[in-house]
Amino acid sequence: MNPLHPGQLVMVDIPGKVLDQATADFLSGQRIRAVCLFRKNLGSEQEVRRLTRDLREVMGPMALIGLDQEGGSVVRATFLPQPPSAMALGAADDTTMAMNVGAAVARGLASIGVNWNFAPVLDINNNPANPVIAERSFSGDAEAVTRLAGAWMRGSLAQGVACCVKHFPGHGDTHVDSHLALPSVDKSRAQLDALELRPFRAMRGEAPAMMTAHIVYPQIDPQHPATLSRRVLHDILRGEWGYDGVVITDALMMKAIFERYGYARAAVMAIQAGADMILAQGSLAEQGASIDALRDALSAGELTLAQCQQASARLDRLAMAYPVRHEDYAGARRAQDHQLMERAWAAGLTALRGARPPARNAPVRVLVQSQVPTDGVCEAGPSGAQLAELFQGFSDARIDFVDDLRNLDWSTIPADGRTNIVASTHRMRYGQAVQDWQPDLHLVLWNPFQALDLPVPTIVTWGHADGALQALRSWLEGRLLPSARAPVDLEPTRRQAFPGG
């Protein structure tokens, strides 16, 4: 009888904020050891602790409970001190601060029973049209990404929470979101070695886990995305580099994989390629289909028992090194971490093209989107009302809310002597829509590459958490002088502006 159950190689998601009996029975019956939590699972801090305790009880001492707590717009546990985005830390360019932020993130996660964080991002965002990475990257420079992400990871590991660097072998030069379609990066191995692969190679001896990218690299493997590519995972990562940490796939429900391969086939192909664990979101039936596919592949000899046992042993090693805990996180330590995050956000605030705050007694008009819903990857953007609060110290501030900032018709803006401020709270680039815009000041609170679309004085916050908004308000009121420098090129050229136009 096969001593290894394929459910040990599958991470699932669960419905709701409590562990219902049907899900508990599924987890135990399929011997699942790993659950990924999302916003839908996170109620109050007390509710999350109860949920992770219940999960640990059902899954046992080798449980792996993960989520994405990168910082910036990708923060699931929003009740913890909110870390700055990677690119905010890249702008501050302070290695010690990056390490301290990583440690603080881990302390918060350990307190709620999370022992595996899918961070930091090692992608080098060298493509301004990238729709999904942007400020999630530390920099456009490989050395800076390696240095800052390495410090962040080491801070986290020292606090007993495993990191999973991502997205191997690099998601920074795509112009397609793999949640929606299958991207391709047509670069030679030499080009990848010179840029995308450098942080992953440099950190292969320290990173306990890596997450794969759903991207085709046609000059390496024209047939398969990296997640399913033996040439990428087995030949390069395992064979050439000797990486012996855990390799987990990005979510198989993403359209880049699901629409081409389906759950069952993709699950088998990923393990065959060299992954140790698949991330199988979906219904219990869909998750069960992935497990059944692995079981059938073992029976048919498409997967070897030795290969799956080796994968299980790597996962055991990860769980033993970083067990689920519920550490106390109250009082002075938490307050200090909150203050650290605020300092880090402020340190990253970046002024471009001589941006200066308007006089507080000057008449200003702020154009801002009223609401920005979540896209399922990132949290929702700040509301227009939150932006309006930043101007409470101004004696004559008019706030004009729009449904979609990209549809703004500048000809409708009256020439009434007000200082016109465009405040961007959404992720997507503007495109051709802004060619006729003439704002006096541009506030970029999410995607920094929007600064390329409007060649005007600009402030970049690299995110929209409370700490970012607080730093921006301090600048508007003349209490903060930005000293950071953009870690990516934000000076527009004809090629960079208006991607796709």
Side-chain angles (χ1 to χ4, degrees):
M1 185 172 181
N2 191 337
L4 181 137
H5 194 290
Q8 296 173 27
L9 309 184
V10 177
M11 173 174 260
V12 301
D13 69 336
I14 60 174
K17 297 178 175 63
V18 298
L19 183 60
D20 62 83
Q21 191 60 52
T23 303
D25 291 344
F26 176 77
L27 296 177
S28 59
Q30 296 286 3
R31 300 189 191 174
I32 291 169
R33 68 156 90 214
V35 165
C36 187
L37 301 179
F38 295 89
R39 283 295 305 145
K40 65 181 181 180
N41 306 122
L42 304 185
S44 68
E45 198 164 340
Q46 183 178 0
E47 288 173 327
V48 175
R49 287 196 187 97
R50 184 180 304 116
L51 173 61
T52 56
R53 284 193 177 97
D54 291 343
L55 287 170
R56 165 63 177 76
E57 182 177 350
V58 168
M59 295 192 295
M62 295 297 181
L64 292 166
I65 302 175
L67 53 61
D68 299 282
Q69 194 83 347
E70 298 174 13
S73 62
V74 183
V75 170
R76 305 304 182 216
T78 55
F79 46 73
L80 295 173
Q82 298 176 48
S85 66
M87 203 164 278
L89 292 170
D93 196 23
D94 184 329
T95 305
T96 300
M97 179 176 287
M99 181 177 65
N100 290 338
V101 167
V105 169
R107 281 190 289 271
L109 294 180
S111 76
I112 60 171
V114 170
N115 62 339
W116 198 6
N117 187 10
F118 297 118
V121 169
L122 298 193
D123 303 320
I124 302 168
N125 202 116
N126 61 325
N127 185 344
N130 193 316
V132 70
I133 300 299
E135 83 292 345
R136 297 170 65 192
S137 167
F138 283 89
S139 175
D141 175 75
E143 185 280 329
V145 169
T146 303
R147 175 169 49 84
L148 294 168
W152 197 104
M153 182 186 74
R154 285 186 283 274
S156 176
L157 298 181
Q159 297 298 317
V161 173
C163 286
C164 182
V165 299
K166 59 188 184 184
H167 306 81
F168 178 80
H171 209 313
D173 197 15
T174 62
H175 62 279
V176 172
D177 183 350
S178 54
H179 293 85
L180 306 175
L182 180 62
S184 177
V185 175
D186 191 11
K187 288 186 173 182
S188 68
R189 174 63 192 275
Q191 289 174 307
L192 293 171
D193 280 337
L195 190 68
E196 280 87 351
L197 289 173
R198 281 176 60 187
F200 293 98
R201 186 181 182 102
M203 293 169 64
R204 71 191 187 280
E206 296 180 87
M210 290 193 188
M211 177 176 282
T212 64
H214 299 335
I215 300 172
V216 172
Y217 300 82
Q219 296 191 46
I220 305 297
D221 183 347
Q223 302 299 322
H224 306 103
T227 294
L228 309 180
S229 172
R230 188 169 175 84
R231 293 182 189 176
V232 172
L233 299 187
H234 179 273
D235 295 352
I236 296 176
L237 183 58
R238 297 293 195 197
E240 183 181 327
W241 291 4
Y243 183 67
D244 197 36
V246 168
V247 174
I248 182 172
T249 72
D250 208 342
L252 296 184
M253 50 75 67
M254 292 163 62
K255 291 184 178 180
I257 297 294
F258 181 75
E259 290 188 346
R260 287 164 176 80
Y261 303 96
Y263 271 81
R265 183 180 175 207
V268 174
M269 291 177 68
I271 302 298
Q272 287 174 329
D276 300 301
M277 175 165 274
I278 62 167
L279 176 50
Q281 294 170 246
S283 67
L284 297 184
E286 289 169 323
Q287 293 167 350
S290 297
I291 297 169
D292 290 342
L294 295 180
R295 181 184 293 106
D296 292 344
L298 270 166
S299 298
E302 296 174 22
L303 292 173
T304 68
L305 180 58
Q307 180 183 17
C308 293
Q309 286 176 330
Q310 184 179 39
S312 184
R314 290 190 184 109
L315 292 159
D316 286 347
R317 191 169 65 222
L318 184 72
M320 286 188 289
Y322 303 97
V324 173
R325 299 171 293 148
H326 290 86
E327 301 285 345
D328 179 61
Y329 192 50
R333 178 73 271 181
R334 184 173 186 144
Q336 290 167 4
D337 286 349
H338 179 73
Q339 292 166 4
L340 166 68
M341 302 308 192
E342 290 183 339
R343 291 195 305 273
W345 277 114
L349 193 73
T350 304
L352 304 175
R353 307 176 198 117
R356 295 182 178 180
R360 293 170 68 180
N361 61 355
V364 300
R365 176 185 292 106
V366 182
L367 301 156
V368 63
Q369 200 160 309
S370 54
Q371 298 289 337
V372 179
T374 178
D375 61 3
V377 178
C378 301
E379 300 306 307
S383 67
Q386 287 177 279
L387 265 292
E389 291 177 3
L390 305 184
F391 292 87
Q392 287 181 344
F394 286 71
S395 60
D396 187 8
R398 171 175 171 170
I399 313 297
D400 286 357
F401 298 118
V402 297
D403 291 332
D404 188 337
L405 196 59
R406 291 170 296 176
N407 294 333
L408 176 65
D409 181 356
W410 197 262
S411 68
T412 65
I413 307 301
D416 54 5
R418 287 183 178 270
T419 296
N420 289 311
I421 302 172
V422 169
S424 172
T425 57
H426 68 273
R427 168 175 279 278
M428 301 307 295
R429 293 282 296 275
Y430 293 116
Q432 299 282 351
V434 299
Q435 289 190 91
D436 299 323
W437 292 12
Q438 297 179 344
D440 301 294
L441 179 63
H442 187 199
L443 306 180
V444 177
L445 283 86
W446 198 329
N447 186 342
F449 294 106
Q450 291 172 345
L452 295 169
D453 300 337
L454 281 171
V456 301
T458 299
I459 288 289
V460 183
T461 64
W462 316 102
H464 49 75
D466 291 346
L469 298 180
Q470 179 176 306
L472 179 56
R473 182 167 185 168
S474 295
W475 178 80
L476 286 167
E477 296 180 353
R479 295 181 283 111
L480 176 62
L481 182 64
S483 58
R485 298 183 64 180
V488 289
D489 184 7
L490 296 181
E491 290 306 320
T493 65
R494 185 173 183 83
R495 182 186 68 83
Q496 289 173 321
F498 320 129

